[in-house]
Amino acid sequence: MEQKSVRDIFLENEKQTLSEFACLSSKSRGREHPYTPCEIRTEFQRDRDRILHCQSFRRLMNKTQVFLAPTGDHYRTRMTHTLEVTQIARIIARALRLNEDLTEAAALGHDIGHTPFGHAGEYAMQKCYDKDFTHYKQSLRVVECLENNGQGLNLTWEVRDGIVNHTGKNMASTLEGVIVKYADRIAYINHDIDDACRAEILSQSDIPKHIRYVLGETHSERINTMVNSIIKESTGKQQIAMQSHVQSATDSLREFLFEHVYRNPIAKGEEIKAQEMLIRLFGYYVSNPDKLPRFYRERCESEGVERCACDFISGMTDRYAIEACEDLYIPKVWRGPKTL
């Protein structure tokens, strides 16, 4: 009798243990470029690993979440945000007996194409490149066209669908992808409050009482309330939803954050400078395509100079963008020869 591979055991476990509404690895719509299956991992597990080990993922550690290039050790970055989203999404998927591997892969990749300086960078690209530019479309472009020296990561259709539909009006085609959309909002609402309190922009007591009454008084209580609400409302159903009273309180909390944090001049006072810096960098590289790195320079003829300049700048970390601008526009101090 032929011994089953580890991958076959995983696939059989999915069929036996997951919900009838789960997206099974064996039912994936596949990849644009088929290749020999792994003997150990399922297709979604393989996607997770491809994202985790790529260069764009590693750069998330030096990209802004809310506070631009923070010097404090405990402020969230785009990387820590991604990890928090992934953990929240996984526990929801596990509780609903959905495909945890698909959920994890989409969550890890959901912000992989995010610009430097958070949404300030996104607005900058909308101003100088394309009004329809969004970080989620750029994330899809990264995994399809830019990573792996232009070959892309060749991810499954379901993971790519979860990445590009994690925010905005569109919904992912799988329940696992929809979970990522909810987990993203749960994560950033709560960790942005935590960071704002750390920055002394607000305190927990500033949150309106009617919101705290429904969601809880602390960071962990609010996350637990939101996650439990989704599990209760979605169990046994072919949908992902939050209980109406919790959804209402969550929406109110998000509106509160926009008013007191996301538009706060203390937290966002440097965003105009960041946008102007990226717009200036964009103009420079469009006018001087020979100064682009070789990878982007070689794509200019087929993709266009503006598209390649946008791709290069979008992939920058906060620190890299600042240093690039300093190198181009800040004069170096003259230091004469050393003498005794």
Side-chain angles (χ1 to χ4, degrees):
M1 182 177 177
E2 185 179 353
Q3 185 176 2
K4 288 185 177 180
S5 68
V6 175
R7 176 178 179 274
D8 289 336
I9 294 173
F10 280 143
L11 294 175
E12 187 62 32
N13 285 343
E14 285 187 0
K15 292 178 181 178
Q16 292 179 0
T17 63
L18 294 186
S19 162
E20 60 181 306
F21 307 122
C23 179
L24 303 182
S25 302
S26 59
K27 300 295 184 181
S28 170
R29 291 171 58 169
R31 309 172 187 275
E32 289 188 352
H33 308 290
Y35 52 72
T36 305
C38 176
E39 293 183 359
I40 299 175
R41 298 166 297 172
T42 68
E43 295 305 311
F44 298 144
Q45 290 171 346
R46 200 170 192 176
D47 283 355
R48 172 203 60 204
D49 295 347
R50 287 188 159 216
I51 292 168
L52 191 61
H53 292 287
C54 76
Q55 292 181 357
S56 298
F57 184 82
R58 293 197 292 275
R59 290 199 297 270
L60 294 177
M61 72 174 73
N62 289 310
K63 292 194 177 192
T64 288
Q65 175 58 29
V66 172
F67 295 90
L68 270 63
T71 56
D73 291 335
H74 301 123
Y75 290 99
R76 268 71 171 192
T77 65
R78 193 62 54 176
M79 171 73 82
T80 55
H81 162 72
T82 295
L83 296 177
E84 292 185 36
V85 171
T86 301
Q87 190 57 33
I88 290 170
R90 284 182 59 192
I91 197 64
I92 295 172
R94 186 180 300 179
L96 296 177
R97 293 194 300 117
L98 297 175
N99 196 316
E100 197 173 333
D101 295 325
L102 169 56
T103 307
E104 182 178 24
L108 287 172
H110 83 280
D111 271 354
I112 202 168
H114 216 300
T115 52
F117 307 114
H119 291 287
E122 191 172 30
Y123 300 148
M125 291 300 100
Q126 290 170 358
K127 289 179 180 179
C128 66
Y129 172 62
D130 185 346
K131 63 180 178 61
D132 294 324
F133 176 92
T134 62
H135 73 277
Y136 49 92
K137 291 178 184 177
Q138 187 67 15
S139 292
L140 183 64
R141 180 169 171 79
V142 166
V143 300
E144 288 187 339
C145 307
L146 299 179
E147 260 297 336
N148 195 23
N149 294 317
Q151 298 180 58
L153 299 180
N154 194 26
L155 305 179
T156 57
W157 183 90
E158 292 78 10
V159 171
R160 288 182 284 128
D161 175 71
I163 288 172
V164 77
N165 291 307
H166 80 269
T167 190
K169 296 180 180 179
N170 294 334
M171 299 295 283
S173 299
T174 64
L175 296 186
E176 289 84 355
V178 178
I179 285 175
V180 175
K181 193 183 191 82
Y182 274 91
D184 181 40
R185 182 162 292 192
I186 291 172
Y188 77 68
I189 285 175
N190 286 289
H191 65 48
D192 290 353
I193 290 173
D194 190 41
D195 279 356
C197 290
R198 181 171 291 105
E200 299 182 351
I201 290 173
L202 56 80
S203 65
Q204 298 286 350
S205 60
D206 292 329
I207 300 172
K209 287 184 179 180
H210 71 279
I211 295 176
R212 284 185 281 141
Y213 177 79
V214 175
L215 300 180
E217 294 288 341
T218 67
H219 177 82
S220 60
E221 286 178 358
R222 286 190 294 271
I223 292 177
N224 283 338
T225 298
M226 294 175 185
V227 169
N228 278 323
S229 178
I230 291 173
I231 294 170
K232 289 177 182 178
E233 188 67 18
S234 307
T235 297
K237 300 175 184 177
Q238 196 171 2
Q239 67 169 22
I240 303 298
M242 192 179 277
Q243 293 169 306
S244 59
H245 68 290
V246 177
Q247 183 68 69
S248 178
T250 300
D251 291 342
S252 296
L253 182 56
R254 183 170 180 267
E255 292 172 4
F256 170 83
L257 277 174
F258 268 96
E259 181 179 353
H260 292 86
V261 178
Y262 302 143
R263 300 190 187 103
N264 187 298
I266 298 175
K268 299 298 182 178
E270 298 295 300
E271 281 199 351
I272 297 299
K273 294 179 185 177
Q275 289 184 43
E276 291 174 348
M277 184 176 67
L278 294 183
I279 291 171
R280 192 167 186 179
L281 284 175
F282 180 83
Y284 174 82
Y285 289 117
V286 168
S287 299
N288 301 275
D290 58 305
K291 300 299 184 182
L292 287 166
R294 181 178 178 181
F295 171 77
Y296 299 98
R297 191 169 64 244
E298 291 178 345
R299 298 170 68 94
C300 285
E301 186 174 347
S302 60
E303 300 257 21
V305 176
E306 292 190 347
R307 173 74 269 183
C308 293
C310 175
D311 287 338
F312 178 43
I313 292 170
S314 296
M316 292 179 177
T317 62
D318 298 5
R319 181 177 56 201
Y320 188 102
I322 292 170
E323 290 176 354
C325 202
E326 287 178 345
D327 287 342
L328 291 173
Y329 297 110
I330 305 300
K332 304 296 187 295
V333 175
W334 166 251
R335 298 184 186 278
K338 291 183 178 180
T339 58
L340 292 176

